[in-house]
């Protein structure tokens, strides 16, 4: 199996790693770069727990070939908080009790961020649509939808980070 | 084709814990020299709030701030014995064990403080903010951190406690068949409003209204969220989830979670919940635990609502469009039962 060098930025920091042929991005982020914030739920594109942003767009990292992110800019939940200050989405999730076991939370946050970055004033239907690729087994979705709408009201989408 | 509205109701009398050879849980509490407490349990937190609730219980009993308590629930090498997180038993069984362990640790902490302050331990109180003081003389005080530090560095004491809570096996009375399987029950009532499409057989949940009696809601916001999420699971069990094929052919069944149906964020219904508190005499600070009961009433309520809407009685879960359609066909058409 041959290795290929790949460079990209993750949460503003440049990364350079060797990836295997066919290796998926989730694996590279978690094991190659050590960012454990994207979660491995299903590994086959159905749960959304591995969602990251590639050039601002939400992608399932388990289905993304790592070598395709060469030169691109990635963000993950690991980069949302600024030091001790939570991102408005994280803060809203906390206030609305939108995480129980927390396994879906990382993917939900990235799906929500990609929505709010594009559409700072989403309707409830927009929010439902944006997280419809993310499975939550615990919360019944309601608090997650509420949290995202609340974060939007507080201007989460207008913040650049 | 038409859409039929239906309403269904269900009530629950739900046992807390189980009766399989006795139902024990243990807890171990100890302080570090800085007065922070560790609580070791073996009933794990799957997201239902076990850690938070036992942390509150430990802090309340010890008389220290909740920030000073750390709960570890998942060390299978060193954790004390516990039956586990199931049967809606966590808050009740483990919470009681935590109280017993925390009481023992508290008494050592107060003895250590008494020795430092040169008073009788029986005269000491805690303020829950990290201070121990002499009753009636609040200026004579020592912090919990100083007391625990002195215990360990000057007095050679471990500020620790062991706790167990056991509901013993209740054997069946050979004469009467009676038994007392559990010590307390939680209760719930739920009304669901649905719509059934008599052309597709699809059931659409429109609204849920419920009341849950959970003893004392030790963390009201977490109880409410557990009920919201649990009702979603109930909906899912009632209408979606199965490992069996929807049609009588194994190859049509879900082969993995990829094909295992559950309601998504667009399928949920508004749910108004009233939480009723009737503290259980033998519960930790009166708590029983919402547990499995948060999902259970939804299933019979939905089945009853389907009957109310189209006159089809389905007694096998999940209530799939196919089953509804077959029922309607067998009846020669939808037979709405009328509004109740
Ligand atoms: S892990 Fe990528 S979608 Fe489930
Ligand atoms: S919080 Fe457990 S899966 Fe969403």
């Amino acid at each position: 199996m041959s290795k290929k060098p790949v460079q990209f930025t993750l949460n503003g920091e440049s990364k350079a790693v060797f990836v295997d042929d066919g290796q998926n991005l989730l694996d590279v982020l978690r094991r190659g770069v050590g960012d454990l914030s994207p979660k491995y739920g299903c590994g086959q594109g159905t749960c959304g727990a591995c969602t990251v942003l590639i050039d601002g767009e939400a992608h399932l990292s388990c289905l993304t070939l790592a070598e395709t992110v060469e030169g691109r800019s990635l963000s993950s939940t690991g980069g949302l908080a600024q030091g001790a200050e939570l991102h408005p989405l994280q803060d809203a999730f906390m206030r609305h009790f939108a995480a129980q076991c927390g396994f879906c939370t990382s993917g939900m946050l990235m799906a929500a961020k990609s929505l709010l970055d594009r559409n700072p004033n989403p309707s409830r239907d927009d929010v439902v649509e944006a997280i419809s690729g993310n499975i939550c087994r615990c919360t019944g979705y309601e608090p997650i939808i509420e949290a995202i709408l609340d974060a939007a009201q507080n201007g989460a989408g207008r913040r650049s980070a | 084709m038409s859409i039929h509205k239906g309403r269904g109701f269900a009530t629950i009398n739900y046992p807390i814990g189980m009766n399989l050879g006795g139902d024990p849980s243990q807890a171990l509490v100890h302080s570090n020299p800085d007065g922070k407490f560790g609580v070791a349990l073996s009933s794990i937190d799957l997201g239902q709030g076990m850690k938070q609730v036992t942390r509150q219980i430990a802090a309340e009993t010890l008389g220290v701030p909740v920030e000073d308590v750390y709960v570890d629930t998942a060390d299978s090498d060193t954790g004390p014995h516990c039956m586990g997180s199931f049967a809606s038993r966590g808050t009740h069984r483990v919470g009681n064990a935590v109280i017993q362990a925390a009481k023992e640790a508290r008494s050592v902490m107060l003895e250590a403080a008494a020795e430092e302050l040169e008073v009788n331990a029986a005269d000491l109180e805690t303020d829950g903010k990290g201070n121990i003081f002499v009753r009636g003389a609040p200026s004579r005080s020592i912090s919990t951190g100083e007391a625990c530090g002195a215990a360990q560095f000057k007095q050679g004491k471990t500020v620790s406690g062991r706790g167990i809570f056991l509901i013993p096996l209740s054997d069946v009375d050979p004469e009467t068949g009676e038994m007392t399987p559990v010590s307390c029950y939680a209760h719930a009532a739920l009304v669901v409003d649905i719509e059934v499409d008599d052309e597709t057989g699809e059931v659409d949940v429109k609204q849920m209204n419920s009341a849950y009696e959970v003893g004392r809601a030790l963390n009201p916001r977490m109880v409410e969220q557990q009920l919201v999420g649990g009702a979603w699971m109930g909906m899912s069990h009632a209408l979606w989830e199965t490992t069996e094929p929807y049609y009588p052919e194994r190859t049509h069944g879900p082969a993995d979670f990829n094909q295992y149906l559950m309601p998504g964020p667009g399928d949920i219904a508004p749910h108004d919940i009233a939480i009723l508190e009737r503290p259980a005499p033998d519960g930790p600070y009166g708590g029983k635990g919402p547990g499995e009961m948060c999902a259970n009433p939804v299933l019979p309520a939905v089945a009853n609502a389907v009957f109310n809407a189209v006159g089809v009685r389905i007694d096998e879960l999940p209530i799939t469009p196919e089953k509804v359609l077959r029922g309607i066909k067998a009846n020669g058409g939808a037979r709405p039962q009328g509004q109740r």
Side-chain angles (χ1 to χ4, degrees):
Chain A
M1 209 186 268
S2 70
K3 299 250 187 205
K4 212 179 200 173
V6 173
Q7 291 188 39
F8 54 90
T9 63
L10 174 64
N11 302 323
E13 272 178 40
S14 59
K15 303 283 174 192
V17 282
F18 285 99
V19 306
D20 293 331
D21 275 346
Q23 198 177 2
N24 69 65
L25 178 62
L26 177 61
D27 205 40
V28 166
L29 289 175
R30 288 181 61 87
R31 293 206 275 182
V33 177
D35 180 358
L36 298 177
S37 70
K39 302 297 174 198
Y40 183 105
C42 63
Q44 51 179 335
T46 52
C47 76
C50 64
T51 305
V52 297
L53 305 191
I54 302 177
D55 293 333
E57 204 176 77
H59 284 263
L60 300 173
S61 61
C62 73
L63 294 187
T64 303
L65 274 181
E67 57 198 70
T68 63
V69 302
E70 171 66 36
R72 303 181 76 178
S73 163
L74 275 57
S75 27
S76 70
T77 321
L80 281 182
Q82 305 291 313
E85 196 199 327
L86 294 181
H87 186 276
L89 270 167
Q90 291 173 307
D91 188 64
F93 268 57
M94 187 179 73
R95 282 184 290 103
H96 286 269
F97 283 65
Q100 284 186 236
C101 79
F103 202 82
C104 70
T105 310
S106 175
M108 289 286 183
L109 285 167
M110 294 327 277
K113 185 169 188 311
S114 109
L115 168 71
L116 298 191
D117 288 349
R118 277 178 286 122
N119 176 1
N121 293 306
S123 66
R124 187 183 163 99
D125 284 347
D126 294 334
V127 172
V128 165
E129 168 85 32
I131 61 166
S132 61
N134 295 65
I135 291 177
C136 176
R137 188 66 215 180
C138 303
T139 64
Y141 298 102
E142 185 62 33
I144 295 174
I145 297 168
E146 294 287 326
I148 297 170
L149 287 170
D150 186 1
Q153 286 215 320
N154 288 328
R158 287 185 286 280
R159 204 175 106 150
S160 56
Chain B
M1 163 222 140
S2 51
I3 303 280
H4 303 275
K5 287 187 194 305
R7 171 170 287 182
F9 179 60
T11 56
I12 298 265
N13 185 31
Y14 203 72
I16 300 298
M18 48 129 205
N19 186 35
L20 293 171
D23 192 9
S25 280
Q26 292 187 23
L28 297 172
V29 172
H30 75 276
S31 91
N32 293 324
D34 59 0
K36 309 283 187 219
F37 284 83
V39 179
L41 307 172
S42 297
S43 209
I44 61 156
D45 195 332
L46 313 152
Q48 77 279 46
M50 191 70 212
K51 274 186 159 177
Q52 175 60 22
V53 162
T54 48
R55 189 184 191 201
Q56 287 174 223
I57 291 171
E60 182 77 22
T61 311
L62 287 162
V64 303
V66 80
E67 298 77 25
D68 285 1
V69 176
Y70 173 78
V71 176
D72 182 10
T73 57
D75 191 331
S76 55
D77 282 343
T78 59
H81 174 260
C82 180
M83 298 304 278
S85 297
F86 62 93
S88 311
R89 65 188 295 287
T91 299
H92 189 268
R93 302 294 195 269
V94 183
N96 274 319
V98 168
I99 288 180
Q100 191 183 63
K103 272 187 181 159
E104 190 174 305
R106 175 187 166 90
S107 74
V108 187
M109 177 176 77
L110 294 186
E111 276 165 32
E115 203 168 315
E116 294 306 298
L117 294 170
E118 297 178 2
V119 295
N120 190 329
D123 295 332
L124 292 176
E125 277 182 14
T126 45
D127 66 358
K129 299 188 185 101
N131 301 299
I132 302 167
F133 61 94
V134 179
R135 190 176 303 114
S139 59
R140 295 196 61 199
S141 74
I142 182 172
S143 73
T144 52
E146 283 168 330
C148 292
Q152 279 157 104
F153 288 104
K154 286 165 71 181
Q155 305 171 13
K157 284 189 183 117
T158 57
V159 180
S160 62
R162 303 149 300 164
I164 182 164
F165 185 73
L166 168 68
I167 296 286
L169 172 68
S170 167
D171 265 331
V172 179
D173 183 313
E175 299 296 321
T176 64
E178 274 180 0
M179 63 194 282
T180 310
V182 291
S183 66
C184 72
Y185 289 82
H187 307 89
L190 184 136
V191 181
V192 66
D193 289 306
I194 62 161
E195 287 179 1
V196 181
D197 183 325
D198 68 9
E199 190 177 36
T200 64
E202 269 172 307
V203 177
D204 195 5
V205 178
K206 290 300 194 192
Q207 169 82 37
M208 289 188 274
N209 290 294
S210 64
Y212 287 85
E213 190 280 300
V214 296
R216 177 167 284 142
L218 297 179
N219 185 315
R221 204 46 197 86
M222 288 183 88
V223 167
E224 191 187 330
Q225 178 45 44
Q226 192 173 1
L227 295 171
V228 170
W232 171 87
M233 286 190 201
M235 232 174 102
S236 189
H237 291 312
L239 296 169
W240 274 267
E241 289 178 42
T242 179
T243 54
E244 287 303 307
Y246 277 11
Y247 295 94
E249 170 68 58
R250 196 68 195 90
T251 54
H252 291 206
D256 59 25
F257 283 117
N258 198 352
Q259 297 152 355
Y260 185 77
L261 292 184
M262 293 180 279
D267 300 311
I268 58 178
H271 184 185
D272 285 331
I273 302 173
I275 295 169
L276 310 177
E277 296 186 273
R278 219 184 51 170
D282 75 340
Y285 299 106
K288 295 173 182 174
E292 296 168 14
M293 184 184 70
C294 55
N296 295 345
V298 186
L299 286 69
V302 168
N304 287 338
V306 169
F307 179 75
N308 181 234
V310 291
V312 174
R313 178 56 73 192
I314 291 171
D315 55 11
E316 221 176 85
L317 295 170
I319 300 169
T320 57
E322 182 208 355
K323 289 179 195 166
V324 174
L325 279 184
R326 284 185 194 280
I328 291 174
K329 199 173 163 202
N331 286 348
R335 290 186 190 161
Q337 303 294 303
Q339 287 293 314
R340 279 181 282 176

